Amino acid sequence: MRAIFILCCLAVLPAHAAWHEREAAIMGTRVHVDLWLEDFEAAAALLDAAMIEMHRVDAAFSPYKPSSELSQLNLRAAATWVPVSDELFELLGKARQVSVWSGGAFDITYASVGRYYDFRKGKVPDAQERAAVEAIDYRHVELDASRRAVRFAHPQTYIDLGGIAKGHAVDRVAAILIAGGVEHGSVSAGGDSRIIGDRRGKPWHIGVQDPRQDGVMVAILPLEDTAVSTSGDYERFFEADGVRYHHIIDPGTGDSARGAMGVTVLGADATLTDALSTTLFVLGVEAGLALANRLDGIDAIIIDAEGRMHLSDDLADLKGR
Ligand code: AMP
Ligand code: MG
């Protein structure tokens, strides 16, 4: 009897088990990959490759690893032109593009002051550290395409790719999966996800988190073939005297941005949705939605500082239907 039961289970296993997933803690966040593939060995190899790629991007762009290409650039670029990899040069170009679109709301040089926050220890920059606000300006990052080299025009300029690197890693992994024949899958690193295809006849469902109630969703989005990124002031923060200090910094002041609690951006690639979710958070409702509406293929949900939800035009039209 028991033998028959086991045989029955084995008979149904392959169909159910053709979804393969893996999870790991990388880039200071939870990385998750889910894919459909008939071939178990190929699936396992792709999951290995996905995690190796996440680690590679982390090793290259982490500001916490002294050996990373980013750390080396920060160390030297105020003094001299520093040749960089194609990958870093391209990413810096994309970051600059979003800075231009947003009038500097997205600005990787925010870290000139932002580096002095410690959200675990509850530390804000002191007056002297805050003075580095004058080193914040994306135009201080000079890019020389002919030499693929980078220089900082201000001695205190310091950059951090935390607002765009996870999306980049997600796109890189998605490209590996697609090249490996995956037609249905999802890749996420913290709040940045890329959905490949549908969930075999059904859409994928991505929740929009209530910024003030952990685990409660204010919306569930049915999605296919898209990238989605969320930025929130509940991710890394501390409170002092009733004020919330969190990790998304207004480059104009060096202080945490306070025009929103949560922003979700939808688009074709995660590098862009990642950068834009951070951007719209800094811009707030009015300027944020205006930018989303201006950009082709970009939609946004902004939860304002009072907890009200605002939608970009295309989403509002969808909801109204
Ligand atoms: P995200 O969770 O994608 O919104 O990214 C937040 C991260 O982006 C922070 O932890 C910082 O590393 C970085 N960041 C914060 N403020 C800015 C800004 N104004 N422009 C670009 N990157 C930022
Ligand atoms: Mg982001």
Side-chain angles (χ1 to χ4, degrees):
M1 185 64 187
R2 180 176 295 165
I4 292 170
F5 175 73
I6 291 170
L7 276 179
C8 288
C9 288
L10 284 177
V12 295
L13 239 172
H16 288 295
W19 281 106
H20 308 267
E21 63 179 323
R22 201 168 295 169
E23 201 174 293
I26 309 173
M27 305 183 95
T29 194
R30 174 180 163 274
V31 166
H32 188 262
V33 180
D34 205 353
L35 59 90
W36 172 274
L37 218 54
E38 303 281 347
D39 182 333
F40 277 51
E41 273 177 34
L46 278 178
L47 290 172
D48 287 346
M51 295 306 169
I52 288 169
E53 180 64 2
M54 287 281 183
H55 280 296
R56 189 194 61 76
V57 173
D58 184 34
F61 302 140
S62 168
Y64 307 110
K65 296 187 160 79
S67 61
S68 73
E69 190 180 12
L70 180 82
S71 295
Q72 291 299 313
L73 182 63
N74 271 325
L75 211 59
R76 297 169 54 213
T80 181
W81 283 100
V82 180
V84 297
S85 63
D86 287 343
E87 187 180 8
L88 179 53
F89 197 81
E90 249 180 59
L91 201 53
L92 291 172
K94 287 182 183 174
R96 169 179 276 261
Q97 175 68 80
V98 178
S99 297
V100 171
W101 283 342
S102 64
F106 186 83
D107 190 331
I108 57 174
T109 69
Y110 87 91
S112 309
V113 174
R115 65 195 293 208
Y116 298 116
Y117 285 87
D118 187 330
F119 299 102
R120 277 191 213 146
K121 293 192 180 137
K123 179 192 175 297
V124 294
D126 62 27
Q128 198 188 339
E129 291 163 344
R130 214 167 259 285
V133 72
E134 64 178 50
I136 300 179
D137 188 331
Y138 65 89
R139 285 160 294 212
H140 288 336
V141 181
E142 298 179 351
L143 303 177
D144 180 346
S146 65
R147 287 189 286 166
R148 222 186 50 213
V150 181
R151 183 175 72 174
F152 298 162
H154 191 288
Q156 282 172 291
T157 292
Y158 185 93
I159 64 171
D160 183 312
L161 296 171
I164 191 167
K166 288 202 295 294
H168 170 68
V170 164
D171 280 338
R172 296 283 301 217
V173 170
I176 290 173
L177 300 191
I178 291 166
V182 171
E183 293 176 355
H184 312 276
S186 79
V187 182
S188 66
D192 301 297
S193 304
R194 177 88 177 264
I195 307 292
I196 302 166
D198 65 0
R199 216 177 143 67
R200 289 180 47 87
K202 302 179 280 193
W204 294 85
H205 287 102
I206 300 271
V208 177
Q209 156 88 39
D210 181 324
R212 292 296 177 267
Q213 294 186 79
D214 205 16
V216 176
M217 300 297 152
V218 293
I220 305 282
L221 308 171
L223 300 172
E224 291 174 18
D225 260 324
T226 198
V228 53
S229 290
T230 294
S231 292
D233 66 0
Y234 48 87
E235 301 267 351
R236 265 188 282 155
F237 74 98
F238 64 92
E239 282 184 340
D241 299 327
V243 180
R244 179 176 291 239
Y245 296 93
H246 66 87
H247 67 313
I248 301 171
I249 306 296
D250 182 341
T253 61
D255 196 4
S256 298
R258 301 223 161 73
M261 292 178 176
V263 174
T264 296
V265 172
L266 305 170
D269 77 272
T271 311
L272 191 54
T273 57
D274 186 6
L276 284 174
S277 66
T278 313
T279 306
L280 268 53
F281 194 105
V282 173
L283 287 174
V285 175
E286 202 178 324
L289 288 183
L291 177 59
N293 288 331
R294 209 168 74 220
L295 296 172
D296 265 353
I298 295 294
D299 283 301
I301 300 169
I302 302 183
I303 300 173
D304 69 21
E306 279 73 48
R308 287 181 304 247
M309 189 153 71
H310 305 263
L311 305 177
S312 60
D313 290 349
D314 289 348
L315 284 182
D317 287 351
L318 265 183
K319 191 171 171 240
R321 257 188 240 154

